[in-house]
Amino acid sequence: MAIESIRTVDPEIFQLISAEERRQRDSIRLIASENYASKAVLAAVGSVLSNKYAEGYPGRRYYNGQVNTDAIERCAIERAKDLFGAQHANVQAYSGSPANMAVYAALCEPGDPIVGLSLPHGGHLSHGWKVNFSGKLYDAHQYPVSRETELIDLEVVRELCHEVKPKVLSVGTTAYPRAIDFEGFAAVAKEVGAYLVADVAHVSGLIAGGAYPNPVPFADVVTSTTHKTLRGPRGGLILCRQDLAKAIDRAVFPGLQGGPHMNQITALAVALKEASTPEYARYCAQVIANARALAAALEMRGFRLVTGGTDSHIVLVDLTPKGVAGRIAADALERAGIVCNSNTIPYDPRTPFDPSGIRIGTPCVTSRGMKEPEMEQIAVWIADVVENVEDETVIKDVRTEILQMVKAFPAPGLDF
Ligand code: DSN
């Protein structure tokens, strides 16, 4: 075991890695952006490809010794193109925000208008939020979700786009449970001459597995992370039309980055192979079935679901009817062994650091083989804890039951 070699060299870090492995084994992980990468993916991340510099692109590198790195990067590119039906793929972005940064750099000049979904309404920092580079470098405008339906209202997006004439219209979410009308967004972008950029970091795995709409036929550029539902290593991915390929590649390298992390790209190639299997498609369908089962069971216990349900892996829960703040609930749930994050809900009367909701997601529990009956049980535990956040006896009892339950569901990639 590669991990065993750390025990001898650095016992302190070995203990911490082991403790984290136990934490991932012994808890019910419901953070919607996390997953369990397979042993093969983790092995690729820890492989000798970490040792190699490869500035440039396959066949056009600045250092010698690229016989294997070229083959690996070409393989990752072809697998990404095949899986998503894209004309071009760049697999070098270090993660999702750098991928988005490269796309803006390729398509806009600093100061140009851009439009994206507001962060507190389920968007992402890099879609023009004021404290982020995207909100500082560009003239960023944000669209909200509807106050009534909590859904994206394309008419609102259209009006804003006609007003500000953005260079880039982005659509992408981190806390939005519903499917997105990418074709409708493409029509709006076309009306105002904007590039449409779809950031599918959260749902790219579900898209690959055929369980969520694919923006590739409609968007000029699609960006993603590779470690969420896609279940790969941490990393970024950019897909685009062939006519934008050169600009995107140049923006990533040499525009923003130096040497690509070849171990990350190697692991991505492995993950993309895994994501092309029928087994993975079944996994994606189950991720959504599990989210719906969890949502329905929570609703039965009196929780309010933002948008009333889900079409994805995400359930956004408004805790207002329970009279408990999101952070207090998330902390109590963690003590019980259920790990999620507090989250703003649309038009949240509370602060982003102490919001009204929790975001829960089913990628991890589904990777462990859990299905609808387990989701119903998890909903019972969530409700018991949230309704008794100050009762450590209830929390301890739930913790004991969880420790027993997770034994039956080994997590991919873990040694225990
Ligand atoms: N931090 C990620 C998430 O949790 O959704 C987004 O980048």
Side-chain angles (χ1 to χ4, degrees), residues 73 75-86 88-103 197-201 203-205 207-208 214 216 221-228 230 232-240 248-249 252 257 264-265 268-269 271-272 275:
E73 188 168 346
C75 176
I77 289 169
E78 288 311 312
R79 286 179 183 173
K81 283 162 60 180
D82 285 352
L83 194 58
F84 294 97
H88 179 72
N90 182 301
V91 294
Q92 292 196 2
Y94 296 144
S95 199
S97 291
N100 286 338
M101 195 185 248
V103 173
V197 177
D199 177 348
V200 295
V203 289
S204 55
I207 294 165
N214 186 356
V216 167
V221 182
V222 174
T223 62
S224 183
T225 48
T226 54
H227 46 271
K228 297 186 174 96
L230 193 54
R234 302 193 79 88
L237 173 66
I238 308 175
L239 308 166
C240 67
I248 294 290
D249 284 354
V252 175
Q257 298 185 179
Q264 194 178 8
I265 292 172
L268 173 61
L272 291 168

Side-chain angles (χ1 to χ4, degrees), residues 31-33 97 124 173-175 201-202 225 228 341 359:
I31 291 183
S33 46
S97 291
H124 187 253
T173 58
T174 62
H202 262 266
T225 48
K228 297 186 174 96
N341 62 280
R359 182 186 68 164

Side-chain angles (χ1 to χ4, degrees), residues 149-168:
T149 63
E150 300 174 315
L151 299 171
I152 293 172
D153 181 343
L154 259 185
E155 276 316 305
V156 172
V157 178
R158 174 173 282 115
E159 264 176 41
L160 180 61
C161 285
H162 278 270
E163 189 189 320
V164 307
K165 302 272 182 314
K167 265 287 193 49
V168 166

Side-chain angles (χ1 to χ4, degrees), residues 55-215:
E55 266 127 323
Y57 288 100
R60 290 178 291 121
R61 307 277 194 191
Y62 288 81
Y63 298 170
N64 286 74
Q66 307 293 351
V67 57
N68 303 309
T69 41
D70 275 4
I72 288 168
E73 188 168 346
R74 282 196 179 104
C75 176
I77 289 169
E78 288 311 312
R79 286 179 183 173
K81 283 162 60 180
D82 285 352
L83 194 58
F84 294 97
Q87 292 176 2
H88 179 72
N90 182 301
V91 294
Q92 292 196 2
Y94 296 144
S95 199
S97 291
N100 286 338
M101 195 185 248
V103 173
Y104 295 124
L107 305 181
C108 316
E109 295 298 327
D112 277 347
I114 60 170
V115 163
L117 176 60
S118 161
L119 176 66
H121 289 230
H124 187 253
L125 280 168
S126 61
H127 301 162
W129 190 239
K130 51 194 175 233
V131 299
N132 184 259
F133 77 91
S134 55
K136 290 183 172 176
L137 275 185
Y138 302 97
D139 173 23
H141 300 260
Q142 308 245 281
Y143 52 91
V145 295
S146 153
R147 192 181 277 275
E148 290 72 40
T149 63
E150 300 174 315
L151 299 171
I152 293 172
D153 181 343
L154 259 185
E155 276 316 305
V156 172
V157 178
R158 174 173 282 115
E159 264 176 41
L160 180 61
C161 285
H162 278 270
E163 189 189 320
V164 307
K165 302 272 182 314
K167 265 287 193 49
V168 166
L169 165 58
S170 76
V171 53
T173 58
T174 62
Y176 184 76
R178 295 301 186 168
I180 286 170
D181 175 7
F182 293 114
E183 192 172 5
F185 266 92
V188 173
K190 197 165 174 211
E191 283 170 27
V192 297
Y195 290 107
L196 178 63
V197 177
D199 177 348
V200 295
H202 262 266
V203 289
S204 55
L206 304 179
I207 294 165
Y212 190 91
N214 186 356

